[in-house]
Amino acid sequence: MRIPLMAANWKMHKTIPAIISFLDSFIPLMRELGSDREVVIAPPFIGLETVCRALRGRKGMGVAAQNMHFEEQGAFTGEISPLMLSDLGVGHVILGHSERRHVFGETDGFIAKKVVSALEHDLKPILCIGEKLEQREAGETNAVLEAQLRKGLSGVTAEQAQDVVIAYEPVWAIGTGKTATPEQAQEAHIFARKWMAEHFNSGIADQIRILYGGSVKPANAAELMALPDVDGALVGGAALDAESFAEIALCPLTPRA
Ligand code: PEP
């Protein structure tokens, strides 16, 4: 049984006072959080400690980093390490987000090293994959997803794969207000799950959580979450406001296999 994961990605937004104000509104709204889902918040690095402290001991709630380096320490100015994240109490790390790939030039090979390093440090990677609009229009969606999965998970064993979360985020849907149709989302999620079955085994494929990301909002969350292979959401813009993210995080869910 896959427990859906509802994740907020704040990107480069919010100062500490803004984070505290969000948490003051959001935490009371999570009184209704049941054991049928998990909620994770990925603040910018300066907010990790504040969010970790506020959510510590709260069942079903956790913290994610938005990125990390694969080394534990060293001469890597501006970077943050898996050791630093796990020491803070961070549980997940978003890796290979399309902004890291397409704005900062991260390659599949670089992302693959981070995925392995995260797993070795008890951090669950949320590996983002997704095609650009021109790739979808050229009929290359599955080839793009296949290459990102194959390369991004190249160092991961079947045993480790259980702790990997995949986020299917079509690049053309991120921050644009355009959401994938339920058919497009389900098709991509099935493709990724079948790949898991072929590359690892059917047990892993059944177990692995595949989130959808790309303009998820309170108005479309339940429809997307009702899809049989969508196991949660990675939410950017609509997760900046406490009421809006609470509505998404608590949206009706259909139990899945
Ligand atoms: C994201 O940041 O991963 C994302 C999906 O953003 P948005 O929800 O704003 O499209």
Side-chain angles (χ1 to χ4, degrees):
M1 169 100 157
R2 303 189 292 270
I3 308 241
L5 175 66
M6 312 302 277
N9 174 17
W10 286 348
K11 312 191 189 198
M12 197 174 72
H13 291 284
K14 294 193 189 294
T15 56
I16 295 290
I19 290 172
I20 293 170
S21 153
F22 177 99
L23 293 168
D24 285 348
S25 305
F26 185 70
I27 289 173
L29 296 170
M30 287 300 105
R31 271 194 298 262
E32 290 168 40
L33 181 64
S35 53
D36 64 340
R37 70 194 76 194
E38 290 172 17
V39 173
V40 156
I41 296 176
F45 288 136
I46 56 108
L48 284 172
E49 191 176 4
T50 305
V51 182
C52 279
R53 272 182 207 275
L55 300 188
R56 192 164 295 148
R58 292 186 187 276
K59 218 167 167 296
M61 297 181 78
V63 184
Q66 295 177 18
N67 187 25
M68 64 166 217
H69 196 276
F70 50 84
E71 293 285 1
E72 285 190 351
Q73 59 186 5
F76 302 106
T77 302
E79 292 292 321
I80 190 156
S81 90
L83 204 59
M84 296 167 186
L85 297 178
S86 51
D87 179 60
L88 269 183
V90 170
H92 289 78
V93 57
I94 299 171
L95 296 174
H97 189 279
S98 74
E99 287 145 22
R100 299 301 321 169
R101 291 176 187 269
H102 304 304
V103 181
F104 297 100
E106 289 197 13
T107 61
D108 284 304
F110 191 55
I111 295 161
K113 287 186 184 173
K114 298 181 186 207
V115 171
V116 171
S117 176
L119 291 163
E120 285 171 352
H121 291 86
D122 289 330
L123 293 162
K124 292 187 170 69
I126 302 175
L127 173 64
C128 302
I129 58 170
E131 79 290 358
K132 294 185 186 173
L133 185 59
E134 59 269 29
Q135 293 168 325
R136 173 162 284 273
E137 286 173 349
E140 293 167 1
T141 300
N142 288 352
V144 170
L145 300 184
E146 194 278 330
Q148 290 175 339
L149 287 169
R150 177 170 38 81
K151 294 177 191 168
L153 297 176
S154 55
V156 174
T157 64
E159 199 187 329
Q160 288 175 318
Q162 298 170 19
D163 287 326
V164 173
V165 178
I166 301 294
Y168 169 61
E169 299 207 302
V171 180
W172 48 270
I174 298 180
T176 58
K178 277 189 208 159
T179 315
T181 63
E183 294 71 28
Q184 287 170 327
Q186 175 63 12
E187 197 184 353
H189 284 230
I190 286 185
F191 178 83
R193 204 176 301 286
K194 279 200 180 137
W195 186 88
M196 295 290 164
E198 282 158 23
H199 188 79
F200 295 111
N201 57 59
S202 58
I204 298 291
D206 286 345
Q207 220 177 313
I208 209 152
R209 290 183 289 187
I210 307 178
L211 317 184
Y212 169 79
S215 298
V216 176
K217 316 178 249 283
N220 61 21
E223 185 185 25
L224 288 159
M225 294 312 113
L227 298 169
D229 284 280
V230 174
D231 311 311
L234 182 54
V235 189
L240 290 170
D241 174 77
E243 279 76 23
S244 160
F245 183 52
E247 214 178 309
I248 295 169
L250 298 174
C251 80
L253 293 178
T254 342
R256 58 216 53 240

